[in-house]
Amino acid sequence: LEFIGTIKYGARNRVRMERVTCAAASPGSDWLLTGHGSTLNLLPIRWRGSQQENIVPGSPVELLANLQGVAGLALNGEASLLAMVEEQGNRVSVRPLGPEGKTLSPSIAEFSLPNANACALSPDGKWLAAGAPVPADAALWGLEEKQKLPALECARAAHNWHPVFSRDGRWLALSGRTC
């Protein structure tokens, strides 16, 4: 895993980890969740310097094991919920997160989408979107009702399957590519 600098701060540091398949950063950039096939890890991050000039990664902590191919991670706006795609299980789940991303309770919702490998949570944590590149498909669920909404036909028609919510949660965009 490599932390790449921005124009403002320059180069960062590298952390040796098992192959990282996906990641989600905390709103305050003080921790990172990383998916590694069968595990989910938490990487604490400290900043060196008064202007947060250098990242000082901590030691990774395994949060979950025996997962079925972690392919996508997403946080809601305040990082109190985690959405996770398990590709081999065709499963998208949502779990509450404790302070600093350290505590994972059992899933509060689980949904199925064949070949899913991307997900997004609305900032308010009320909506979950997930997508699969083959066949190009996407789904949207209301987390309060735990119900799937009608099919997103635009996903199939235009091969758009990768979801992202706007920061205010007012819209959902789907991107992808044509085959």
Side-chain angles (χ1 to χ4, degrees), residues 67-105:
L67 300 171
Q68 297 181 2
V70 179
L73 298 172
L75 300 169
N76 68 331
E78 58 189 32
S80 61
L81 294 174
L82 167 70
M84 179 172 53
V85 174
E86 291 181 72
E87 192 173 28
Q88 291 142 357
N90 296 322
R91 181 172 61 197
V92 184
S93 61
V94 177
R95 296 171 179 264
L97 283 178
E100 300 175 7
K102 291 182 181 173
T103 308
L104 281 171
S105 302

Side-chain angles (χ1 to χ4, degrees), residues 17-33:
M17 299 177 86
E18 176 189 338
R19 185 180 84 110
V20 176
T21 56
C22 53
S26 70
S29 299
D30 51 355
W31 49 267
L32 181 72
L33 294 176

Side-chain angles (χ1 to χ4, degrees), residues 135-158:
D137 197 7
L140 180 65
W141 294 273
L143 292 178
E144 291 175 349
E145 306 84 17
K146 295 188 172 92
Q147 275 191 310
K148 185 175 181 181
L149 275 65
L152 299 172
E153 292 301 326
C154 62
R156 292 187 184 116

Side-chain angles (χ1 to χ4, degrees), residues 1 3 15 17-25 31-43 60-64 67 70 72-73 82 84:
L1 178 64
F3 292 93
V15 178
M17 299 177 86
E18 176 189 338
R19 185 180 84 110
V20 176
T21 56
C22 53
W31 49 267
L32 181 72
L33 294 176
T34 56
H36 303 268
S38 65
T39 62
L40 176 70
N41 290 349
L42 170 74
L43 181 66
V61 176
E62 187 176 283
L63 295 178
L64 293 172
L67 300 171
V70 179
L73 298 172
L82 167 70
M84 179 172 53

